[in-house]
Amino acid sequence: MFPCTSRRAALSAGAALFVLSAATAASAQSPTDLPPVQADAAPASEATPGPGAPARTVSGEVLSRRKAAGDDAVSMLVGEPGVAVQSGGGTTALPSVRGMTDDRMLVTVDGAETTAFCPNHMNPPGSYVLASAVESISLSPTLSPVSAGGDNIGGVIAIVTRGPVFATDGESLRTEGQASLNYRSVSDGGSASLRATAAGERYSLGLEGSWARGENYRSGYGRDVLSTVYETYDLAATLAARTAQGVVSLRAGRQFTPYQGFPNQRMDMTENASRFADLRYDGAYSWGDVSARASWRDVEHEMNFLSDKGGDMPMLSHGVDLGLAVAVTIPARGGVFGVGLDVRRTDLDDWWPPVAGSMMMGPDRYLNINNGRRDRTGLWAEWAGPVAPDWSVVAGVRLEQVETDAGDVQPYNWTGMMNAADAAAATAFNARDRHRTDEVADVTLLARWSPSEGTSLEVGYARKTRVPNLYERYAWGMGQMSMAMTSLAGDANAYVGDIDLRPETANNLGATLRLASPAANRALTVSLYHAEIEDYVDADPIGTFGPGASFVRLRFANHDAWMQGLEVSGRTDLWTIGGFAPASASASASWVRGENRDSGDALYHMAPLTARFTLEQPLGTWTAVAELELVGEKDRVSATRNEPVTDGYALLHLRTVWKPTDALRVDLGVENVFDEGYDLPLGGVSFGDFKAGGMVPPIDALPGPGRSVNVGLSLSF
Amino acid sequence: MATPTGARLAAAAVSIVLHGAVATVVLHAADPGPPPPPPPSIDVWLAPAPPVRAASVRSRTAGVVRQADRPAPPRPAVRASAADSAGPAPAPAGQEPVAAPPAPDLAPSAPPQRAQAATATDGFDAYARLVWAQIDRRRPRSGVRAGSAQVSFRLDRAGRLTGLRLAASSGSSEFDRAALRAVRAAAPFPRPPDDVDDARLEFRIAIRSPSA
């Protein structure tokens, strides 16, 4: 028996009276009116999610606070245990969750999947929505249910923008919107966004636009970090129609990035233009739920050098993603049974136009990926529900077939001495059959024991598979320069693909214990996990290059690997001052380690021990927040890739929020109060600075931002 | 390495351990003591007490529910005949009575029960209460702040859900969906009394989103 409040009891009892009178008064012809039911508010962040639901969801107040500090959508998860990001440009960070980085995580925006169409992964899926447009972002690490998506071994990050709204009963026209502005001193930049909706009871039209820009940010070492400028625009419109069973919506829009510097890459983004359309239907019927979607995204991407790096070498990509997904869930055996079909077709062309006057880069265009194709078909079935008192399970199987292929390629020049290595590689590549078909199976099994309210123990196993991306399989250049253009890890090393690369398969094990006090004012969550990964896509060295042999030539290669780690987080209410909501303290810590079983080398981009302590004091319309971020030294690094060692550091952030009315919100914060100089553990190398400094080795790690005064303003109407 | 960084890291590690220890103590200390004596008697009508919810434990805070939104409290209380055998659980002394226990996740497909009814009207009232209570136990949990979703549904003679539709939007399509699912999750319902008109097995209920 769970204790409830007197208000619920009052409601129940009052409802009884209501029913009695309503039912008695009801005529034989009219429907029976029941008294209203009041939904519960969403749980606090440390509360127990439902079986198979994301382990963490960031929305509301916490999300608003994080938006004040950055424009990148995926970075809105940073602060949750186990989450880090591999630095990219200002709005294009790559997720790294429990050591699983980049494509190992599936990132969806409103359910749609997108491919990173760039040999440096400058346009990952999370880059197609700016932080200001995010309504919620949720994370299902390593043990995500098969229904959440395939083609990943590290789990799923689901970014959701604001769904359609409609007029309520009696409202003829509903209009609403929000405007926000942010400024950050560290990059003398910020963002602006505007969203407006007009809706009747049946139809809804929403428009939104966001813009973000920043200059090179200044590090705590007191100097600008080169190649960190960025600017990007997003526009989207949503037209939705409501039926008695659900909503049909068409969302379409455009993203345009005129420039974005990449401090840890040899190249910069000099344009990324993308258009998308997303048609979906979500319906609830008496027998179950249906969801169906068709999505399309077209991406035109251009790399070259911005002024910090200098030079000219255009590299173009054109990619199209076409996706169809249908899922049906029905109540079954006391739980919910779901089946779904996902079909996705991806086309990619990557070519580098000849450079006028260059002996090396011409006279032909270099075809990096020609008619690249990656087609996925996935079929899944899943059941979730209770199996015994206090026990519930989620069990699912996903079968996927993934076909990849790429057409014949050509170097800049078939005969020139400077292109001899590429010409030989192209000849060998073209002589091979490059079509590959992989049939893979994923399984997720989760069991949760909930002996009492607030206490639960979840254990799970997930076998998850990712088929290599087109660059890992089909990047073919063996010349020093062409190899260096394929580089996904922010290490400025040079990579070549392997047509015979096998899919990587993770056997993920995990356990999570959640404890919460009955009044939900204290909570503790502890997670332990281990992953055995067969055929992990790592890389083997085949040479070095660059000044002082600073950089490594690598070939993508399958190796067995393991990762394991621990996450602890908790919160507690503290004191209460003068009738305000109680002050609270929260803390989290994450630790992860990963190793290549064949070489014994540490895996790349394993975040060091990280801890966060947050103190929050509400004072009526004001809330003051102090956060201490502690990051340990990263000394277990990948020797294969010359990964830089980074020192530990401690940062203090102070933030205050003022909400004088429901409609107005003002954020004022100082990040990195003491202007501490530090290097980002997952930042890779600072190639922009290295190049501007005349390429004198050794190359440094990428410094993090110094002190920033941030101001945010948001007005709802 | 013995640098300020190393020292800071050591400090961090110590802090983490201490914090963990404090959290453990705090959580342990939060355990309720021995059960308090029974409360002052307040009768609450109830459906037959279902087994305790096994999964999706809800957090319930008093602040979630606005008193002003509630119907008047029971004076005198109504007691459903079906509740007599199960009865409400005792509440902590001096506090609130315990209302309907959470939904039976384990037994949503429990065999339909006959509502205990003497006459058509009395029987149907009791039956409507059971239907309401079953939906209330599956009420949505949502972060959406919107209005009320009006859901219409129809039951057949066996208490099965045969029609489900949204009559009016809460304003949020996300909450509307949660409301439809809540009613579906509550099905199947007990078998209705035999002498009730079909037309009365068409129900309408408003599901309110969490208050601001």
Side-chain angles (χ1 to χ4, degrees):
Chain A
M1 292 291 182
F2 299 162
C4 294
T5 67
S6 59
R7 289 167 184 175
R8 278 224 78 84
L11 176 68
S12 304
L17 290 173
F18 191 109
V19 170
L20 196 63
S21 53
T24 309
S27 77
Q29 277 74 39
S30 63
T32 306
D33 278 313
L34 296 175
V37 158
Q38 175 74 54
D40 286 334
S45 60
E46 294 289 336
T48 303
R56 300 268 168 181
T57 298
V58 178
S59 61
E61 176 61 29
V62 174
L63 178 65
S64 298
R65 246 181 250 164
R66 291 182 187 170
K67 285 178 181 181
D71 295 322
D72 176 62
V74 165
S75 297
M76 296 297 105
L77 274 179
V78 173
E80 303 306 302
V83 179
V85 292
Q86 175 187 319
S87 304
T91 64
T92 53
L94 297 166
S96 180
V97 176
R98 295 187 168 180
M100 305 279 192
T101 303
D102 192 7
D103 279 354
R104 295 192 172 95
M105 299 298 299
L106 171 64
V107 178
T108 62
V109 178
D110 291 327
E113 301 179 14
T114 307
T115 305
F117 293 114
C118 169
N120 294 170
H121 277 193
M122 288 183 177
N123 49 14
S127 69
Y128 291 112
V129 55
L130 285 170
S132 54
V134 176
E135 187 80 359
S136 77
I137 177 166
S138 60
L139 170 68
S140 305
T142 60
L143 299 176
S144 57
V146 295
S147 55
D151 205 23
N152 71 83
I153 63 169
V156 180
I157 292 172
I159 300 172
V160 176
T161 64
R162 192 168 173 81
V165 298
F166 295 94
T168 54
D169 210 5
E171 239 180 346
S172 58
L173 179 72
R174 174 177 184 155
T175 56
E176 61 162 53
Q178 190 178 57
S180 72
L181 279 172
N182 280 293
Y183 174 78
R184 300 176 200 103
S185 69
V186 75
S187 59
D188 194 20
S191 63
S193 73
L194 183 66
R195 183 184 77 214
T197 301
E201 282 189 41
R202 295 279 164 197
Y203 300 97
S204 171
L205 175 66
L207 297 169
E208 61 190 70
S210 320
W211 165 78
R213 73 175 291 281
E215 300 293 332
N216 284 340
Y217 68 73
R218 201 179 135 281
S219 75
Y221 300 125
R223 51 176 198 266
D224 287 351
V225 178
L226 297 184
S227 302
T228 56
V229 294
Y230 66 97
E231 179 161 8
T232 189
Y233 304 84
D234 267 348
L235 272 176
T238 306
L239 184 63
R242 184 176 76 73
T243 70
Q245 312 302 149
V247 175
V248 186
S249 66
L250 175 67
R251 184 175 160 85
R254 208 182 143 75
Q255 182 253 22
F256 180 68
T257 301
Y259 60 89
Q260 186 150 182
F262 280 75
N264 57 9
Q265 292 287 358
R266 290 165 188 272
M267 306 302 295
D268 295 308
M269 185 195 281
T270 49
E271 189 173 301
N272 197 83
S274 164
R275 294 167 291 158
F276 78 97
D278 202 3
L279 178 66
R280 61 190 284 182
Y281 172 69
D282 290 287
Y285 296 81
S286 57
W287 48 266
D289 281 347
V290 177
S291 76
R293 71 155 53 242
S295 53
W296 165 81
R297 184 179 286 277
D298 178 284
V299 177
E300 287 178 34
H301 174 69
E302 182 183 323
M303 293 201 290
N304 207 324
F305 305 107
L306 297 174
S307 57
D308 284 346
K309 287 178 186 151
D312 182 33
M313 184 192 164
M315 298 170 63
L316 305 175
S317 306
H318 178 227
V320 178
D321 272 316
L322 204 55
L324 286 167
V326 181
V328 174
T329 56
I330 55 169
R333 296 185 165 270
V336 174
F337 176 73
V339 290
L341 174 72
D342 302 339
V343 181
R344 183 164 160 210
R345 184 186 167 108
T346 298
D347 289 288
L348 168 66
D349 280 298
D350 237 37
W351 71 99
W352 311 343
V355 177
S358 166
M359 287 279 287
M360 186 179 162
M361 294 182 278
D364 300 328
R365 55 164 55 177
Y366 182 104
L367 298 182
N368 190 37
I369 304 280
N370 181 33
N371 288 327
R373 202 162 62 78
R374 191 172 188 275
D375 295 345
R376 279 176 54 207
T377 306
L379 189 63
W380 58 267
E382 184 174 280
W383 183 83
V387 287
D390 303 339
W391 283 91
S392 60
V393 304
V394 178
V397 179
R398 171 182 279 268
L399 304 175
E400 289 225 358
Q401 185 191 64
V402 183
E403 284 185 67
T404 65
D405 202 357
D408 284 354
V409 295
Q410 67 180 38
Y412 280 117
N413 186 335
W414 284 106
T415 54
M417 280 289 288
M418 296 170 88
N419 290 288
D422 283 340
T427 304
F429 183 88
N430 292 343
R432 293 198 57 187
D433 173 21
R434 299 168 298 268
H435 181 259
R436 292 290 179 274
T437 303
D438 295 294
E439 277 154 3
V440 300
D442 287 0
V443 174
T444 299
L445 291 168
L446 302 170
R448 173 179 296 165
W449 177 57
S450 319
S452 65
E453 183 178 17
T455 304
S456 74
L457 176 66
E458 184 171 290
V459 294
Y461 164 78
R463 175 194 156 97
K464 297 168 76 66
T465 316
R466 178 182 75 94
V467 172
N469 64 44
L470 292 174
Y471 295 104
E472 289 166 331
R473 264 196 182 149
Y474 300 123
W476 56 272
M478 288 298 288
Q480 180 179 304
M481 189 278 295
S482 53
M483 261 185 90
M485 295 299 101
T486 298
S487 196
L488 306 178
D491 55 7
N493 292 322
Y495 291 79
V496 65
D498 179 358
I499 297 170
D500 296 321
L501 213 55
R502 294 181 299 274
E504 51 183 15
T505 304
N507 291 285
N508 290 303
L509 286 168
T512 297
L513 176 69
R514 291 185 178 87
L515 300 171
S517 60
N521 56 349
R522 296 180 199 97
L524 179 70
T525 303
V526 182
S527 292
L528 266 171
Y529 58 90
H530 181 90
E532 281 294 332
I533 307 161
E534 297 161 36
D535 293 328
Y536 179 82
V537 178
D538 204 333
D540 289 339
I542 54 175
T544 58
F545 69 105
S550 298
F551 302 105
V552 194
R553 290 154 54 98
L554 297 151
R555 182 189 299 278
F556 289 115
N558 292 116
H559 288 285
D560 289 346
W562 58 262
M563 294 181 198
Q564 62 187 25
L566 173 69
E567 294 155 4
V568 182
S569 63
R571 65 171 299 281
T572 178
D573 284 354
L574 301 171
W575 54 80
T576 303
I577 298 177
F580 299 126
S584 63
S586 57
S588 69
S590 331
W591 175 85
V592 61
R593 186 162 277 198
E595 194 176 287
N596 179 320
R597 278 207 185 275
D598 298 331
S599 67
D601 194 17
L603 297 180
Y604 196 73
H605 281 325
M606 293 292 128
L609 177 65
T610 303
R612 281 187 165 79
F613 299 91
T614 308
L615 198 62
E616 190 173 328
Q617 175 67 63
L619 294 163
T621 56
W622 291 83
T623 304
V625 181
E627 180 180 307
L628 186 62
E629 179 182 346
L630 301 168
V631 178
E633 179 186 20
K634 188 169 87 162
D635 53 357
R636 275 183 62 89
V637 292
S638 164
T640 309
R641 307 195 198 206
N642 283 348
E643 183 177 13
V645 168
T646 55
D647 286 340
Y649 56 90
L651 305 179
L652 176 69
H653 313 297
L654 297 175
R655 298 161 193 144
T656 178
V657 182
W658 181 49
K659 290 197 284 189
T661 69
D662 272 352
L664 179 64
R665 174 193 176 92
V666 180
D667 282 271
L668 181 65
V670 185
E671 305 285 308
N672 190 359
V673 172
F674 296 114
D675 204 19
E676 170 93 355
Y678 64 99
D679 296 329
L680 293 162
L682 269 57
V685 295
S686 193
F687 192 84
D689 291 328
F690 181 71
K691 192 171 182 187
M695 309 265 256
V696 181
I699 190 165
D700 294 324
L702 179 66
R707 177 168 50 228
S708 183
V709 177
N710 298 343
V711 184
L713 184 70
S714 154
L715 183 66
S716 303
F717 50 87
Chain B
M1 55 190 219
T3 61
T5 299
R8 231 180 265 140
L9 185 54
V14 169
S15 297
I16 293 164
V17 170
L18 285 177
H19 196 94
V22 169
T24 309
V25 169
V26 156
L27 283 164
H28 188 258
D31 285 345
S41 171
I42 299 177
D43 292 332
V44 179
W45 71 273
L46 271 188
V52 168
R53 166 186 297 258
S56 40
V57 174
R58 293 162 181 275
S59 73
R60 288 184 190 162
T61 49
V64 165
V65 172
R66 274 203 308 223
Q67 184 74 61
D69 291 342
R70 298 302 187 193
R75 293 285 187 254
V78 178
R79 182 186 284 271
S81 58
D84 284 342
S85 55
Q95 291 187 27
E96 306 85 27
V98 173
D105 272 13
L106 288 176
S109 54
Q113 308 142 17
R114 283 292 302 264
Q116 298 176 11
T119 69
T121 302
D122 289 352
F124 188 71
D125 289 346
Y127 181 72
R129 285 179 210 142
L130 290 176
V131 170
W132 181 89
Q134 211 153 307
I135 295 169
D136 184 57
R137 272 183 240 121
R138 291 304 196 118
R139 63 190 174 272
R141 183 169 57 178
S142 172
V144 174
R145 286 166 51 174
S148 289
Q150 308 278 343
V151 178
S152 296
F153 60 98
R154 167 169 281 282
L155 304 184
D156 68 8
R157 290 275 160 198
R160 290 181 300 236
L161 192 65
T162 56
L164 177 70
R165 53 187 293 274
L166 188 71
S169 174
S170 64
S172 158
S173 50
E174 183 186 337
F175 187 75
D176 291 346
R177 196 150 49 237
L180 288 167
R181 284 178 182 157
V183 173
R184 191 180 61 224
F189 296 92
R191 177 188 291 273
D194 289 336
D195 45 4
V196 167
D197 286 346
D198 278 353
R200 298 182 73 187
L201 294 178
E202 173 93 40
F203 292 87
R204 199 162 56 186
I205 187 167
I207 301 189
R208 295 174 175 159
S209 70
S211 315

